[in-house]
Amino acid sequence: MKTERATLGSPIDEVTKKHLQDVLMNLRFENPILAEAEVGRAVVEIELSQPLMNGMGITHGGMLFTLMDMAAGSAVRSLGVTSVTLQSSINYIRATKEGRLRAEGQVIHPGRSTVVVHVKATDSNGKLVADANFTMYVMDK
């Protein structure tokens, strides 16, 4: 039985929001927070700490990528479907050393087989840290 997808930009219910937060917490990734969510959009935030830094004392690129992947996956999950990352491309713009990182995922193409998500990561001052595109493969068909 196919489920009907909600309209992009519409609010998500509290059950879905709680599910998204539970999924993030189960990843055991330094306590990510689902800061905002609506259908087709999700914002995941994390407070930087020493374990998230590389040998040069700046945010590890793999950690930043993972945070952005979590935002992309949460944005797709808000559509009511399950997905996995099929392809991604990230551009690292500036280094960060402290504060909070915010990754905002926005669905730009909600297809039946794949969903394309644009994700931007910003620092505590709202400055762009990284920009990425994710193609997510929809598992529910």
Side-chain angles (χ1 to χ4, degrees):
M1 180 171 103
K2 286 198 168 210
T3 58
E4 193 172 312
R5 290 194 189 176
T7 305
L8 292 179
S10 61
I12 61 174
D13 59 75
E14 289 302 314
V15 172
T16 302
K17 189 179 282 189
K18 177 163 181 358
H19 172 76
L20 287 172
Q21 182 63 49
D22 289 347
V23 168
L24 292 175
M25 293 303 291
N26 284 336
L27 294 174
R28 308 254 191 270
F29 183 75
E30 293 292 318
N31 299 319
I33 297 167
L34 181 67
E36 299 174 29
E38 60 189 40
V39 176
R41 180 177 165 274
V43 177
V44 180
E45 295 181 347
I46 191 167
E47 193 70 34
L48 291 176
S49 61
Q50 185 56 41
L52 303 177
M53 303 301 166
N54 64 18
M56 295 178 287
I58 59 176
T59 305
H60 191 284
M63 186 287 304
L64 181 55
F65 177 87
T66 301
L67 179 69
M68 296 176 83
D69 187 53
M70 293 164 86
S74 295
V76 175
R77 186 69 184 115
S78 74
L79 299 174
V81 297
T82 304
S83 68
V84 295
T85 303
L86 181 64
Q87 188 278 335
S88 60
S89 173
I90 186 169
N91 292 300
Y92 297 99
I93 309 297
R94 83 174 15 91
T96 57
K97 293 183 177 187
E98 60 187 9
R100 182 171 285 279
L101 284 180
R102 172 184 172 96
E104 179 177 351
Q106 177 69 54
V107 171
I108 58 175
H109 171 71
R112 286 180 296 167
S113 298
T114 62
V115 177
V116 179
V117 184
H118 177 248
V119 183
K120 62 180 182 177
T122 54
D123 64 14
S124 297
N125 298 318
K127 290 185 178 179
L128 187 64
V129 174
D131 188 78
N133 287 305
F134 289 81
T135 302
M136 310 298 281
Y137 178 74
V138 177
M139 304 294 289
D140 312 328
K141 289 190 234 172

